[in-house]
């Protein structure tokens, strides 16, 4: 992937022509000669699969990739088996 696409992380490289330190920011698409200096593949955004854009999700619709909002509880926990009872203190009679 090095050499094309957009960066997803900030990268520091040295320009081979001017020997200047360059800071490439996330979202930038550097020219091919500079992009070739970025050797870490994790610095690049993943290419879209077959150039197909993801299907937009309408506002108010549940996210089809998301799970349930709350994890399901086990039967014992739902019945109150997981709760602690408050400790009881006995009063010492005063003399």
């Amino acid at each position: 992937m090095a050499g094309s696409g957009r960066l997803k992380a900030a990268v520091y490289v040295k320009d081979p022509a001017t020997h200047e330190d360059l800071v490439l920011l996330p979202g930038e698409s550097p020219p091919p000669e500079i992009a070739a200096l970025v050797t870490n593949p994790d610095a690049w955004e993943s290419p879209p699969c077959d150039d197909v854009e993801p299907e937009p999700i309408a506002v108010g619709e549940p996210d089809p990739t998301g799970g349930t909002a709350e994890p399901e509880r086990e039967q014992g926990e739902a019945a109150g088996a997981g709760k602690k009872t408050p400790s009881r203190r006995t009063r010492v009679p005063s003399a």
Side-chain angles (χ1 to χ4, degrees):
M1 173 85 184
S4 64
R6 293 176 10 146
L7 292 167
K8 69 176 181 180
V11 180
Y12 298 87
V13 295
K14 188 174 287 275
D15 187 325
T18 63
H19 303 290
E20 290 180 301
D21 290 329
L22 301 175
V23 179
L24 307 175
L25 299 175
E28 287 186 2
S29 297
E33 61 274 3
I34 301 299
L37 301 173
V38 181
T39 57
N40 185 348
D42 292 336
W44 297 100
E45 289 183 354
S46 299
C49 299
D50 298 324
D51 295 331
V52 176
E53 292 189 26
E55 188 174 319
I57 298 173
V59 176
E61 265 186 47
D63 184 358
T65 60
T68 58
E70 197 173 306
E72 293 183 23
R73 296 181 179 199
E74 293 183 17
Q75 186 175 358
E77 203 176 332
K83 293 183 180 178
K84 289 185 177 179
T85 57
S87 61
R88 296 185 183 193
R89 293 185 180 174
T90 57
R91 294 186 76 182
V92 179
S94 57

